[in-house]
């Protein structure tokens, strides 16, 4: 299993910020437009406030689960390596 990409981590960061009401500023109009085009975010009626769509919320959840799964997998691999190293020293 490949670790989560930096692009997905950056997307997760942006989605989480939007979810917390910290939308990208006006200088990030390209990013805002891409999120809207991808149906991950929408502008509210006032046209200034960016919020996540249902798809954006689900994508955010999915990325959070992926990050957690990667961390858990890394911990399992670490424990296996430590166990294997301990067994090697016992047999030496």
């Amino acid at each position: 299993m490949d670790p989560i990409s930096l692009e997905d981590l950056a997307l997760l960061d942006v989605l989480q910020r939007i979810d917390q009401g910290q939308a990208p500023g006006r200088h990030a109009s390209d990013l805002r437009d891409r999120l809207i085009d991808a149906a991950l975010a929408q502008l509210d009626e006032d046209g200034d406030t960016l919020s996540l769509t249902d798809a954006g919320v689900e994508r955010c959840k999915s990325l959070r689960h992926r990050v957690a799964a990667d961390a858990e997998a890394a911990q399992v691999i670490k424990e296996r390596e430590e166990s294997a190293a301990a067994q090697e020293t016992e047999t030496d």
Side-chain angles (χ1 to χ4, degrees):
M1 180 172 168
D2 293 330
I4 191 167
S5 70
L6 291 176
E7 291 165 348
D8 284 341
L9 286 173
L11 176 59
L12 174 59
D13 182 55
V14 170
L15 293 176
Q16 286 178 325
R17 280 198 237 163
I18 292 170
D19 191 41
Q20 297 169 355
Q22 303 172 6
R26 291 232 179 255
H27 65 280
S29 62
D30 289 341
L31 173 61
R32 185 173 42 235
D33 292 343
R34 287 182 19 214
L35 292 170
I36 292 169
D37 289 344
L40 297 175
Q42 63 191 6
L43 286 172
D44 289 343
E45 292 178 12
D46 61 8
D48 288 329
T49 305
L50 195 63
S51 62
L52 295 181
T53 62
D54 290 342
V57 170
E58 291 302 316
R59 181 73 171 145
C60 191
K61 286 180 185 178
S62 174
L63 290 170
R64 280 189 218 143
H65 287 288
R66 177 68 194 275
V67 168
D70 284 357
E72 189 173 328
Q75 183 62 34
V76 168
I77 290 170
K78 180 182 173 187
E79 290 171 2
R80 285 181 184 169
E81 289 172 349
E82 289 172 353
S83 177
Q87 287 178 355
E88 283 182 20
T89 57
E90 289 176 6
T91 58
D92 288 341

